[in-house]
Amino acid sequence: MDFASYIQTSSERLSELEAEISHFDFGGPNAERFQKLNREYNKLKKLLEAWKQFNDAKAQIADNKEMLAAGDDPDMAELITADLKSLEENLPKLEQELKMLILPTHPNEGRDVIVEIRPAAGGDEASLFAAELYRMYSHFCELKGWHTEVMDLSDTEVGGLKNVSFMVRGDEAWSMLHFESGVHRVQRVPVTETQGRIHTSTATVAVMAEAQEVDIELKPEDLRIDVFRSSGAGGQGVNRTDSAVRVTYLPTGDFVASQQERSQHKNKDIAMRILRSRLLERKQQEEDAKNAAERKSQIGTGDRSEKVRTYNFPQSRVTDHRFNITHYDLPKIMDGELEELLGEIRAADAEIRLAKELHLEE
């Protein structure tokens, strides 16, 4: 893929930004404008640096091949061959980084996210699978060094989950995790199965960009606040007071209930944060019909046939159906080692989007 013309345009734009930023007038309501310029500047700087690294790697590969062809020292040839292998393995990663940086920035880039997981089809087995997905994402966040915060959690008597909502704060949280939205299907023999038959169950995952008050204004007259006694374990003493809160957005009927904290005030704050993020997601869907169609196909109803990914335990297989990507290392993935899988998903998505963006035929 030829990036040269795009890089030239980007280099010219970077010079324009440098000039504008160096003479920027910080007086008046210009802070938002400066932040926008700075974000664009930093992204273009990363793009041009990635372009340099990509070309340097290609040049080093060519030099190494030339030295191998001309040399007759076995020890030196061994060193050059090892270096060449490393360079050739890294080249596709550098190219992929270039593609990511060329793509237009999504409005949600850089945002933290709220992840919601719920069991769908499959009864107790679905609730157990939902709990395993929660552990998988929690471990992945730990490996990435991201901070997580449980906002709401309700478990079942068998050790599964009725639902869980949690915040993820960290660099590229939205960029990496938004592909997880959809129906996740598990195929395995449940612990309750006496005849060894493989069952299929599902859980839904929703990943929403965290909304700020400036994104969604929640007017008091549009809200109904109900308080009630918590029904979950939730911590010592949580059931002794009416600490649980349900916030209903009257114009749409959307509601969020939270009983995670002992404090009614904290539960209200959690419910408002989740509600605001749900409404932001809906607003973005309405503004972009294509995104709305994609979201509908991803989330669906939770039926077994509507799936974005399958976790097949007998085969130790994980298949992402949107991009036809399959891995045979299910235990590692369930333990949170999602980096490689998500990297391939992002790469496949970038190829499709880049072809449209640059009007290229792959």
Side-chain angles (χ1 to χ4, degrees):
M1 183 176 293
D2 183 15
F3 299 107
S5 60
Y6 189 92
I7 295 298
Q8 178 61 36
T9 302
S10 298
S11 180
E12 293 169 359
R13 175 57 180 161
L14 183 65
S15 298
E16 294 174 0
L17 287 169
E18 287 175 338
E20 186 170 356
I21 290 174
S22 65
H23 297 91
F24 194 81
D25 180 10
F26 289 92
N30 291 328
E32 185 175 343
R33 168 67 178 165
F34 179 77
Q35 290 176 359
K36 182 177 180 181
L37 291 173
N38 200 46
R39 282 195 297 269
E40 184 182 1
Y41 173 81
N42 288 331
K43 182 175 181 180
L44 288 177
K45 285 281 286 185
K46 289 181 180 178
L47 171 62
L48 294 179
E49 178 59 29
W51 174 246
K52 181 179 182 301
Q53 292 178 4
F54 179 67
N55 282 290
D56 286 349
K58 289 202 298 182
Q60 290 176 44
I61 289 172
D63 289 344
N64 282 2
K65 288 182 177 179
E66 186 176 332
M67 285 189 290
L68 278 177
D72 56 3
D73 184 337
D75 292 334
M76 183 59 70
E78 184 177 350
L79 291 173
I80 295 173
T81 300
D83 187 48
L84 180 61
K85 180 181 179 183
S86 176
L87 287 166
E88 289 179 334
E89 288 178 349
N90 193 47
L91 193 63
K93 297 177 183 177
L94 293 174
E95 183 177 9
Q96 185 54 43
E97 184 179 356
L98 267 175
K99 293 175 181 179
M100 293 289 187
L101 289 168
I102 284 175
L103 288 170
T105 301
H106 191 280
N108 290 339
E109 291 286 350
R111 288 182 186 260
D112 298 323
V113 297
I114 295 174
V115 182
E116 296 181 335
I117 304 173
R118 290 183 173 83
D124 285 345
E125 172 66 3
S127 76
L128 291 169
F129 179 51
E132 290 176 80
L133 288 177
Y134 172 51
R135 287 192 291 272
M136 178 183 76
Y137 292 126
S138 297
H139 290 164
F140 176 62
C141 291
E142 289 176 11
L143 292 171
K144 295 290 292 182
W146 295 342
H147 174 72
T148 59
E149 170 197 350
V150 176
M151 305 180 76
D152 198 35
L153 185 150
S154 179
D155 53 17
T156 66
E157 294 180 356
V158 299
L161 288 177
K162 295 179 183 177
N163 66 273
V164 62
S165 300
F166 59 100
M167 170 72 66
V168 179
R169 301 189 186 280
D171 186 40
E172 292 193 312
W174 183 86
S175 301
M176 301 259 336
L177 290 176
H178 79 278
F179 289 103
E180 296 305 285
S181 287
V183 175
H184 294 239
R185 181 177 73 166
V186 62
Q187 295 174 324
R188 63 183 175 190
V189 179
V191 294
T192 55
E193 170 60 49
T194 59
Q195 299 182 23
R197 295 175 298 182
I198 295 174
H199 286 221
T200 297
S201 303
T202 60
T204 60
V205 176
V207 179
M208 302 171 293
E210 183 187 21
Q212 306 298 324
E213 291 186 21
V214 294
D215 298 315
I216 299 291
E217 180 185 5
L218 296 178
K219 299 178 181 179
E221 60 267 27
D222 290 337
L223 301 174
R224 186 177 74 236
I225 313 294
D226 300 307
V227 296
F228 56 97
R229 185 153 297 182
S230 173
S231 60
Q236 184 178 358
V238 75
N239 292 322
R240 299 177 183 173
T241 60
D242 291 337
S243 60
V245 175
R246 181 187 296 106
V247 179
T248 303
Y249 186 62
L250 298 176
T252 63
D254 290 87
F255 70 90
V256 177
S258 177
Q259 57 181 7
Q260 183 65 23
E261 302 291 339
R262 302 184 198 180
S263 163
Q264 185 182 116
H265 175 75
K266 290 181 179 179
N267 282 327
K268 179 184 175 183
D269 178 64
I270 288 172
M272 293 284 281
R273 288 161 63 190
I274 295 175
L275 177 61
R276 190 175 283 114
S277 294
R278 287 183 184 176
L279 293 175
L280 173 63
E281 182 185 40
R282 177 174 296 176
K283 177 182 176 183
Q284 291 175 338
Q285 291 173 353
E286 291 172 350
E287 290 173 349
D288 189 334
K290 179 183 177 182
N291 285 350
E294 289 176 351
R295 175 65 173 174
K296 182 178 179 181
S297 68
Q298 288 174 356
I299 295 300
T301 62
D303 184 79
R304 289 178 176 87
S305 63
E306 298 177 334
K307 59 188 183 296
V308 296
R309 189 175 301 152
T310 292
Y311 305 74
N312 185 295
F313 277 69
Q315 299 176 12
S316 192
R317 172 176 58 84
V318 177
T319 298
D320 192 282
H321 302 285
R322 293 162 296 185
F323 302 102
N324 195 28
I325 296 171
T326 295
H327 283 232
Y328 288 92
D329 52 359
L330 187 146
K332 289 184 177 180
I333 287 175
M334 296 306 297
D335 200 35
E337 296 185 29
L338 291 165
E339 186 85 29
E340 184 177 352
L341 174 62
L342 293 184
E344 290 185 33
I345 290 172
R346 293 181 71 192
D349 176 71
E351 289 285 353
I352 296 170
R353 293 168 57 203
L354 191 62
K356 294 178 180 178
E357 180 67 20
L358 301 181
H359 305 289
L360 297 175
E361 292 187 3
E362 297 298 307

